[in-house]
Amino acid sequence: MTGEKTDLVLSEARRLTGDLEDSYRDRIVAALYARAEAIASRAVKEAPAPRRDLDWRLDAILTSRLWGYPIMLALLAFVFWLTLKGANYPSALLASLLFAFQDILTSLFQRLGAPAWLYGIVVLGMYRTLAWVVAVMLPPMAIFFPLFTLLEDLGYLPRIAFNLDNFFKKAGAHGKQALTMCMGFGCNAAGVVGCRIIDSPRERLLAILTNNFSPCNGRLPTLITLAAIFMGGLLTTAAETAVATLTVAGIILLGIVLMFFTSWLLSRTLLKGVPSSFTLELPPYRPPQVLRVIARSVLDRTLYVLARAVLVAAPAGAFTWVLANVHLGTSSIIDHLAGWLQPLGKTVGLDGYILLAFILGLPANEIVIPILLMSYLATGMLTEVDSLAALGEILVRHGWTWITALNVMLFSLLHWPCGTTLLTIYKETKSLKWPLLAAVIPTALGFAACFLAKLLAGLLGAALGG
């Protein structure tokens, strides 16, 4: 027997052995629980518990193979629909208020006789970037995070982990990765740290390397904004809102599917091994404490993330203003950099400015769109964007179509993690190899997805035109 055949036989034997061990383990756990229930029923007398019966009935529906997944997808779509529908008007109001304050700052700088370069860096660079980040990010986060926290407080998130456990096991990963995936929707760095709950080093690395496929709070506003403008027609009708909602939900589901695929691929190549099992005890359902949930989500998540975005956006805005206003010859530095990236950007349905915005946005994903807007504008400053319609007009003037928006959404989902997440991966793994791999894998998939989307859109346009 050749060495290759021997390896295949051993691999199959390990897989079968692992399946048998999981089967025995499940039987042992079931027997232990059955024995414990029998002892408890003889020793303890308790009054009828209609609430426990209700929990069992709910679990029979929410964790069933027939209804569990449709309900999970419907809840995901509902959360994004409510976020899209509710965030538009507060964003416009905040933008109007914050951009109006610029006039006060302008008058103050004029009275102080401040030099033009200082006014440009502080007001046109830092303040306008901050104003845009706050106006665009705060309303969606103020809606999404409380809804997500309500589901967590209700006890539904462990049911999601239960439903997805079998998928992760088939992908060669650990079922607890479903929990770290959910944490990644808040912050990928927190999701990476949360991977400590996975005991197996191999499966922990799988969870760390694929956590970036969960779009974090820094990327969700970008997805929601672009879907509302280009797929939802500015949400003027119920049908357009539904299309935008389904687009965002589809992008999220694509990330989850690619998480399974990448885990499966890595578990059969770089991180070979047999997936381990775990026992998840589902907590009882409980009525969410609405006021406490809102306070916790606003203080611990919304304001924390917003403060982090503001701290990063201020220096990034100033740096981008300098790049946009310092000229080498007849063009600004930012024009030169974007020009070098233009061939690659056009190949994958983007442009050089978009790729440059993602590169400069490495410190935080929240600042990608503000950097892009400042890069586009010939004045080298962020113009007043007080509504989705105004933002859409700027993007369309610079050649954007629905396929450009779709590719930006795809690349926002599939590109290198932010600087904080990369640093966290290094601290968790004590090696530069894994942060590098965590950046290369999604970026390669992102370029492939954008190129494929551009290719299919071109074929579709040709077919419709013919």
Side-chain angles (χ1 to χ4, degrees), residues 55 59 62-63 155-164 282-285:
D55 285 357
D59 280 338
L62 296 178
T63 61
Y156 182 66
L157 289 189
R159 273 76 186 176
I160 294 179
F162 179 86
N163 289 337
L164 295 178
L282 298 178
Y285 294 97

Side-chain angles (χ1 to χ4, degrees), residues 11 21 72 183 256 339 358 411 413 461:
S11 177
E21 289 177 354
M72 187 170 60
M183 295 174 67
I256 296 174
F358 277 105
F411 201 73
L413 173 72

Side-chain angles (χ1 to χ4, degrees), residues 339-358:
W340 294 337
L341 295 170
Q342 185 73 359
L344 176 60
K346 284 298 183 182
T347 302
V348 294
L350 303 171
D351 64 33
Y353 290 100
I354 296 173
L355 290 180
L356 182 61
F358 277 105

Side-chain angles (χ1 to χ4, degrees), residues 121 125-126 129-130 309-319 367:
I121 290 177
M126 295 177 65
T129 303
L130 289 176
V310 164
L311 289 175
V312 174
F319 180 67
I367 61 175

Side-chain angles (χ1 to χ4, degrees), residues 1 40 45 60 70 96 128 190 226 237 268 306 335 407 431 459 465:
M1 182 179 291
K45 301 296 180 183
S96 298
R128 283 204 164 215
L226 295 181
T237 66
R268 281 155 180 79
L306 189 64
D335 288 335
N407 279 344
S431 171
L459 294 176

Side-chain angles (χ1 to χ4, degrees), residues 197-249:
I197 65 175
I198 301 175
D199 297 325
S200 165
R202 183 191 73 86
E203 292 168 332
R204 185 163 59 247
L205 277 175
L206 281 175
I208 288 174
L209 291 176
T210 58
N211 190 265
N212 193 55
F213 291 113
S214 296
C216 65
N217 51 63
R219 289 178 282 171
L220 283 173
T222 299
L223 300 179
I224 291 170
T225 300
L226 295 181
I229 295 172
F230 288 93
M231 283 71 181
L234 301 176
L235 312 178
T236 54
T237 66
E240 291 173 340
T241 303
V243 170
T245 300
L246 292 176
T247 301
V248 176

Side-chain angles (χ1 to χ4, degrees), residues 45-257:
K45 301 296 180 183
E46 57 181 348
R51 182 173 176 179
R52 181 179 298 176
D53 292 338
L54 178 61
D55 285 357
W56 288 341
R57 291 175 183 174
L58 287 174
D59 280 338
I61 297 173
L62 296 178
T63 61
S64 71
R65 293 185 177 182
L66 178 62
W67 297 106
Y69 302 114
I71 291 174
M72 187 170 60
L73 295 176
L75 275 175
L76 175 69
F78 173 74
V79 167
F80 286 120
W81 175 83
L82 202 58
T83 303
L84 279 164
K85 198 67 177 174
N88 194 12
Y89 300 110
S91 288
L93 179 61
L94 268 176
S96 298
L97 292 174
L98 291 172
F99 281 114
F101 186 69
Q102 180 187 324
D103 295 335
I104 299 176
L105 290 177
T106 301
S107 299
L108 177 62
F109 271 73
Q110 288 175 347
R111 286 199 300 270
L112 294 175
W117 64 266
L118 181 63
Y119 169 76
I121 290 177
V122 175
V123 178
L124 304 182
M126 295 177 65
Y127 178 76
R128 283 204 164 215
T129 303
L130 289 176
W132 199 92
V133 168
V134 172
V136 172
M137 285 187 59
L138 182 59
M141 288 193 303
I143 298 172
F144 176 79
F145 283 149
L147 291 175
F148 193 80
T149 309
L150 281 174
L151 292 177
E152 181 182 4
D153 204 52
L154 182 65
Y156 182 66
L157 289 189
R159 273 76 186 176
I160 294 179
F162 179 86
N163 289 337
L164 295 178
D165 173 53
N166 190 45
F167 288 103
F168 279 107
K169 184 177 177 181
K170 289 182 177 179
H174 198 285
K176 288 182 180 178
Q177 189 172 332
L179 300 175
T180 63
M181 178 192 73
C182 292
M183 295 174 67
F185 285 111
C187 175
N188 292 128
V192 169
V193 173
C195 294
R196 295 174 183 176
I197 65 175
I198 301 175
D199 297 325
S200 165
R202 183 191 73 86
E203 292 168 332
R204 185 163 59 247
L205 277 175
L206 281 175
I208 288 174
L209 291 176
T210 58
N211 190 265
N212 193 55
F213 291 113
S214 296
C216 65
N217 51 63
R219 289 178 282 171
L220 283 173
T222 299
L223 300 179
I224 291 170
T225 300
L226 295 181
I229 295 172
F230 288 93
M231 283 71 181
L234 301 176
L235 312 178
T236 54
T237 66
E240 291 173 340
T241 303
V243 170
T245 300
L246 292 176
T247 301
V248 176
I251 293 290
I252 303 297
L253 290 178
L254 176 63
I256 296 174
V257 170

Side-chain angles (χ1 to χ4, degrees), residues 132 136 225-226 229 369 373 385-396:
W132 199 92
V136 172
T225 300
L226 295 181
I229 295 172
I369 294 296
L373 289 177
V385 184
D386 56 2
S387 67
L388 291 178
L391 174 60
E393 289 176 4
I394 294 173
L395 297 178
V396 170

